[in-house]
Amino acid sequence: MISEKIPEWLEFYMDKINKLAVYNQSNRPNHVLVNEYLPGQGIMPHTDGPLFHPIVTTITCGSHTVLEFYERHSTEDFTKDQGCTTSELGLPKPCATLLLERQSLLILQEDMYHRHLHGISEQTQDTIDETIKNLHLCQAKVGDELKRSTRISLTIRNAPKSTKIKLFS
Ligand SMILES: O=C(O)CCC(=O)C(=O)O
Ligand SMILES: [Fe+2]
């Protein structure tokens, strides 16, 4: 991984996250991934893997989304199927969901990083029900139908191995 200077506007948010003291001095965030999702777009169940320090902080901008978690199988099973618990039809079956409201910060670590996959299903709206684990922290209520609009996520974390080579001068 080759490092580039983080733009000032992003440093502002990284500093804010640093003040929460979720990271140690040795693994302070040095990496930001910006993803854009149009309504109906998502991301397949996956783990973020060993390339990163296993604490992920994600700021949600624009639209809400629903982040789904799946129990991760052993490495052996991983080669046979999707690497997570599936329904009878072979579709990934979430064991937990979180509503990520706009302007929220998600901190993902420990078992949720190592022992679960995460993904976002390809939907244009979400029906809010009591299975959403963080509903008590949200403004949305059971029964709400939330239409997705464009969501930008800022995934801020530490990549222990990065090379300081200037790509552009
Ligand atoms: O957009 C998000 O909140 C999740 C993104 C993600 O999981 C990833 O890029 O690895
Ligand atoms: Fe991810």
Side-chain angles (χ1 to χ4, degrees):
M1 212 173 289
I2 297 176
S3 63
E4 273 288 296
K5 188 173 164 14
I6 303 269
E8 253 171 51
W9 68 270
L10 266 178
E11 263 180 12
F12 175 81
Y13 295 104
M14 292 170 93
D15 284 349
K16 281 193 149 200
I17 285 171
N18 273 321
K19 290 200 178 101
L20 299 176
V22 284
Y23 294 94
N24 295 325
Q25 192 61 30
S26 58
N27 54 42
R28 286 163 75 90
N30 62 355
H31 185 278
V32 184
L33 176 70
V34 182
N35 282 349
E36 181 189 65
Y37 303 85
L38 301 178
Q41 292 183 328
I43 187 165
M44 291 279 288
H46 66 280
T47 61
D48 288 358
L51 208 57
F52 296 101
H53 179 78
I55 302 177
V56 184
T57 46
T58 305
I59 298 174
T60 289
C61 311
S63 174
H64 78 282
T65 199
V66 172
L67 189 65
E68 299 178 332
F69 292 91
Y70 308 82
E71 275 161 354
R72 187 179 180 180
H73 289 171
S74 67
T75 314
E76 195 185 313
D77 287 334
F78 196 81
T79 59
K80 288 188 205 148
D81 56 23
Q82 312 214 37
C84 61
T85 308
T86 50
S87 68
E88 279 167 22
L89 294 171
L91 297 170
K93 197 170 149 209
C95 61
T97 56
L98 292 178
L99 174 61
L100 307 187
E101 289 185 307
R102 64 194 291 265
Q103 300 185 328
S104 67
L105 172 71
L106 171 74
I107 303 173
L108 181 64
Q109 58 185 346
E110 299 179 1
D111 265 12
M112 297 314 277
Y113 188 97
H114 294 290
R115 299 172 66 104
H116 293 80
L117 290 84
H118 56 272
I120 297 169
S121 63
E122 296 181 338
Q123 287 178 178
T124 52
Q125 68 174 49
D126 299 285
T127 304
I128 302 308
D129 63 28
E130 53 289 311
T131 63
I132 291 177
K133 300 286 184 199
N134 64 334
L135 201 53
H136 60 294
L137 300 171
C138 296
Q139 290 181 1
K141 294 182 190 51
V142 170
D144 286 353
E145 300 277 346
L146 302 184
K147 268 197 190 318
R148 290 189 195 171
S149 55
T150 301
R151 170 174 179 263
I152 309 279
S153 65
L154 307 177
T155 302
I156 298 174
R157 54 196 156 173
N158 173 272
K161 290 182 187 156
S162 60
T163 317
K164 286 196 169 58
I165 297 177
K166 252 191 169 311
L167 275 185
F168 308 103
S169 51

